[in-house]
Amino acid sequence: PLQECGDGPVTGDYNPMDEFQDADDTQVYILHEGSGLNIENPLDTNATDPIFGFDSNTMTYGTTYYISAVVGNNDGGGTVDLDDPCLAVAQGTPVVFDEIPTANLMGTTAICEGDDANLSVEFTGPGPWSIIYTDENGQDTLTGINTNPFNFNVTPSSSSTVTLDQVMNPDCPGIAMGTADITVNTAVQVSGVSTTCNATATGYTVSFQISGGDPNSYIISTNHGGSIDPTGFFTSNEITAPNGYSFTVNDANNCNPIIVTDDEVICDCT
């Protein structure tokens, strides 16, 4: 059959050779169900050419229809009387209209460095589908997709955008849409941990430098208190010696928080 991706129009095959008509005959082309020689449920008529398109109100994608040349008596309205006992139906051209698939990539997501970003694609039209997308590493292809929506993972090394380039099914190329913006957050880092004892060796403070992550949302979880200056340098409140300390360093993105701890701190009074 003629395979048409989308709504057409399509042109049926018709060879007028050896055609013979009576003086009162009329010829039209009919799009119909049934078979090539048997007209059932006429869907559309064209008085001049075997050209027809898909009508979603009366037709279904993936169904075989037929385009036939029909000759018979004029029904008085300028078309053929299908009840004419001498009606002649030429072998019809089978035609199938296939729905064009679409795919839409969705999502804006934030991940921690090294983690996967889960993306989702929604389809219309029949599967199985294949997609081609572009991420920071170039184009990649996924085939044999039978679930809708379809989820897949990418692991970007830095903040980037994934673009859906193409979609297709076994019958038709489709329409691909959408992008996904992925933010990759880095973890906080701690360096230069030190303790400073007071003059009487009865207490001490802990200090260290925080870097990486989101400097605007550094968080110190502790029972000891303290403060972070604008450069990310942390200094604790005084802690009674020889008690130990524990600080959990994090930010709003919660990527691999760091625990700074020691069970005991001895301040030498000599």
Side-chain angles (χ1 to χ4, degrees):
L2 293 176
Q3 295 280 141
E4 176 68 15
C5 290
D7 296 347
V10 297
T11 300
D13 296 326
Y14 176 65
N15 184 355
M17 296 296 292
D18 300 324
E19 179 184 282
F20 176 79
Q21 299 182 23
D22 293 333
D24 60 348
D25 280 342
T26 296
Q27 176 176 308
V28 295
Y29 301 95
I30 296 179
L31 176 68
H32 62 94
E33 298 176 344
S35 66
L37 293 172
N38 180 30
I39 295 179
E40 296 179 9
N41 189 25
L43 300 168
D44 198 4
T45 301
N46 190 321
T48 57
D49 298 291
I51 300 175
F52 296 93
F54 180 84
D55 184 348
S56 61
N57 293 316
T58 58
M59 301 168 66
T60 304
Y61 289 116
T63 297
T64 301
Y65 300 98
Y66 296 87
I67 299 174
S68 296
V70 181
V71 175
N73 291 335
N74 193 310
D75 67 356
T79 189
V80 172
D81 180 2
L82 296 181
D83 294 323
D84 181 357
C86 295
L87 187 74
V89 180
Q91 179 66 50
T93 301
V95 56
V96 177
F97 294 91
D98 293 310
E99 184 176 3
I100 294 176
T102 71
N104 188 18
L105 174 64
M106 299 175 297
T108 297
T109 186
I111 61 171
C112 295
E113 188 175 31
D115 289 347
D116 292 335
N118 185 259
L119 306 181
S120 181
V121 178
E122 287 190 354
F123 298 96
T124 65
W129 304 276
S130 299
I131 60 173
I132 298 176
Y133 67 90
T134 299
D135 63 10
E136 66 177 11
N137 298 312
Q139 281 195 329
D140 201 359
T141 301
L142 301 174
T143 62
I145 300 169
N146 289 294
T147 58
N148 186 21
F150 171 70
N151 297 321
F152 68 102
N153 292 331
V154 295
T155 311
S157 60
S158 60
S159 296
S160 57
T161 298
V162 178
T163 302
L164 190 61
D165 301 319
Q166 298 180 47
V167 61
M168 66 284 297
N169 64 19
D171 298 315
C172 298
I175 300 170
M177 302 169 286
T179 59
D181 295 320
I182 304 171
T183 300
V184 178
N185 296 311
T186 60
V188 296
Q189 301 177 33
V190 171
S191 60
V193 179
S194 64
T195 57
T196 302
C197 292
N198 62 20
T200 60
T202 57
Y204 65 93
T205 58
V206 180
S207 61
F208 48 80
Q209 181 67 50
I210 310 170
S211 59
D214 176 18
N216 294 320
S217 65
Y218 286 156
I219 303 167
I220 305 293
S221 298
T222 182
N223 292 325
H224 309 302
S227 61
I228 306 171
D229 74 11
T231 70
F233 190 80
F234 172 76
T235 303
S236 74
N237 295 339
E238 187 170 284
I239 303 168
T240 301
N243 296 335
Y245 61 82
S246 179
F247 305 93
T248 300
V249 184
N250 202 357
D251 65 7
N253 298 317
N254 194 34
C255 295
N256 193 27
I258 294 175
I259 297 176
V260 179
T261 186
D262 196 343
D263 292 335
E264 185 180 54
V265 175
I266 303 296
C267 286
D268 192 350
C269 60
T270 58

